[in-house]
């Protein structure tokens, strides 16, 4: 949500829908885990952020839908080949 001169504005919700909490947690985990980063520092930061999310949200909830979330993400034509590699591994987990 961004505050605009006209009030709060929701952005990046073109494909939002109502769903299960486990899938919501899993898709967040999948997005955080699969985006491509360059350099050792960024890879370490990504791993720390993903680990913190898992700890805060609870791995059991995330794990319940991670394969489904990864398969869903693989349907997006804008996913890069590097992201697809990670997503395929998550889909098989």
């Amino acid at each position: 949500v961004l505050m605009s001169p006209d009030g709060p504005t929701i952005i990046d919700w073109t494909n939002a829908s109502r769903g299960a909490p486990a899938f919501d947690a899993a898709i967040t985990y999948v997005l955080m885990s699969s985006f491509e980063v360059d350099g050792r520092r960024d890879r370490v930061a990504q791993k720390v952020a993903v680990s913190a999310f898992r700890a805060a949200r609870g791995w059991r909830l995330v794990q319940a839908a991670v394969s489904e979330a990864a398969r869903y993400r693989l349907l997006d034509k804008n996913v890069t080949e590097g992201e697809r590699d990670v997503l395929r591994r998550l889909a098989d987990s």
Side-chain angles (χ1 to χ4, degrees):
V1 176
L2 292 177
M3 293 304 292
S4 73
D6 297 325
T9 302
I10 296 175
I11 61 168
D12 292 335
W13 281 54
T14 57
N15 60 350
S17 64
R18 183 176 296 234
F23 185 83
D24 185 47
I27 197 71
T28 300
Y29 174 82
V30 163
L31 288 167
M32 292 174 68
S33 298
S34 64
F35 74 87
E36 293 185 90
V37 295
D38 292 323
R40 185 176 187 278
R41 184 184 314 176
D42 289 344
R43 283 190 299 277
V44 169
Q46 181 182 34
K47 287 181 190 261
V48 169
V50 168
S51 293
F53 177 79
R54 280 177 52 169
R57 195 64 181 107
W59 180 236
R60 188 174 296 160
L61 180 68
V62 172
Q63 190 177 28
V66 76
S67 293
E68 178 188 4
R71 287 190 303 273
Y72 173 79
R73 184 83 177 111
L74 280 165
L75 297 174
D76 186 336
K77 66 180 178 179
N78 297 307
V79 171
T80 68
E81 198 52 44
E83 290 171 319
R84 287 185 185 284
D85 291 341
V86 175
L87 292 169
R88 286 183 194 107
R89 285 193 301 273
L90 290 171
D92 291 340
S93 63

